Amino acid sequence: MEFEKIVMERYATKLFDGRKIPESKVNELLELIRYAPSSFNIQPWKIVIVTDSKVKEKLSPASWHQKQITTCSHLLVFCANRDIAANINLLEREMVKNGAKPDDIKSYIQMMRDFEKGLSEDEKLSWAQRQTYLALGNALNGAKFLGFDSCPMEGFDPKEYSKILNLPKNLVPTALCPIGYAADKQKEKLRFPKEEVFVYD
Ligand SMILES: Cc1cc2nc3c(=O)[nH]c(=O)nc-3n(C[C@H](O)[C@H](O)[C@H](O)COP(=O)(O)O)c2cc1C
């Protein structure tokens, strides 16, 4: 599918038909998410994949009873990982595994550690959440590319989600992406005119 068609035909699906997406397709989507860009390549996110209908039922009241939660095939819970230091350590190990010489990457890694030390706890969360939305973007367009539908969602209670999904403190549910096959129809897109959006200097 042409990228322009993906962008124009993707829409925030309000109701899915309950059919399951084949796992091979879901795995393709997970790869598109995994390759999202992030600042310093720190990848400060973790995506929890909910498939159990009992868990979805539990999450429904914590999501304003929006029907996407119980009718989707898979519910992707995009969590920001505010333990940025742990991810820097992981990234260092992965770079070495990939052939980097520890001495060659020392100053780059130190730059990341200094950056992390300079952030308050609130700033760490905000920074991690901003990166997480880039991964969400890949999920939304990626789903359409692979032939199914999605909905970006912030209408949920992150604290309740953390409890129900038993998440560790470093993970903060930030946005949802239910995926499945739409049972509704796309409405005409409304966007601000170009003059409102773009400014040439
Ligand atoms: C961060 C974010 C949060 C959103 N939260 C919800 C939500 O909780 N429920 C919902 O039905 N749609 C939600 N939307 C969908 C938007 O309303 C929708 O993207 C917007 O109206 C544009 O429509 P389109 O995506 O169909 O082009 C959200 C979108 C974004 C980007």
Side-chain angles (χ1 to χ4, degrees):
M1 204 188 237
E2 296 275 317
F3 190 66
E4 188 188 0
K5 204 165 149 64
I6 292 166
V7 170
M8 292 307 177
E9 292 188 6
R10 179 220 56 82
Y11 71 98
T13 299
K14 306 293 175 193
L15 186 71
F16 297 95
D17 68 5
R19 270 184 299 151
K20 284 276 167 218
I21 300 169
E23 281 311 312
S24 62
K25 284 272 163 204
V26 174
N27 287 334
E28 281 185 62
L29 182 68
L30 300 187
E31 282 304 271
L32 296 179
I33 296 170
R34 196 164 69 85
Y35 277 91
S38 61
S39 178
F40 294 116
N41 203 17
I42 288 176
Q43 307 161 61
W45 49 59
K46 191 81 93 183
I47 293 102
V48 179
I49 300 151
V50 180
T51 53
D52 186 336
S53 49
K54 286 196 201 93
V55 179
K56 290 182 198 160
E57 287 292 344
K58 271 195 205 159
L59 294 170
S60 177
S63 333
W64 307 351
H65 295 283
Q66 295 187 77
K67 293 210 162 50
Q68 296 95 324
I69 305 302
T70 47
T71 61
C72 69
S73 167
H74 293 64
L75 175 64
L76 311 187
V77 181
F78 280 76
C79 300
N81 183 1
R82 57 181 159 190
D83 191 353
I84 296 166
N87 266 32
I88 296 171
N89 292 340
L90 179 59
L91 181 59
E92 184 180 26
R93 289 199 297 276
E94 290 296 322
M95 286 172 86
V96 171
K97 243 202 253 171
N98 271 271
K101 293 202 180 78
D103 270 356
D104 291 348
I105 60 171
K106 212 170 157 185
S107 61
Y108 182 62
I109 299 289
Q110 193 53 47
M111 183 174 65
M112 284 190 250
R113 293 203 167 110
D114 292 343
F115 163 77
E116 189 271 343
K117 278 200 194 90
L119 297 175
S120 67
E121 286 308 305
D122 282 351
E123 284 168 339
K124 276 183 207 168
L125 175 58
S126 163
W127 183 83
Q129 288 185 314
R130 295 199 301 274
Q131 316 302 315
T132 301
Y133 280 99
L134 293 175
L136 174 68
N138 273 24
L140 301 172
N141 286 318
K144 195 76 218 170
F145 167 70
L146 292 166
F148 47 91
D149 300 287
S150 67
C151 185
M153 294 177 74
E154 277 183 335
F156 71 101
D157 181 342
K159 288 207 175 88
E160 277 301 305
Y161 264 63
S162 292
K163 266 194 240 158
I164 295 166
L165 298 174
N166 206 13
L167 297 177
K169 273 218 167 87
N170 57 307
L171 298 185
V172 178
T174 294
L176 308 177
C177 182
I179 53 171
Y181 300 100
D184 64 355
K185 287 253 168 334
Q186 180 177 21
K187 297 205 179 91
E188 205 177 316
K189 278 209 186 294
L190 185 154
R191 293 295 191 265
F192 296 140
K194 275 187 249 174
E195 311 77 70
E196 290 290 339
V197 180
F198 305 107
V199 183
Y200 284 94
D201 64 2

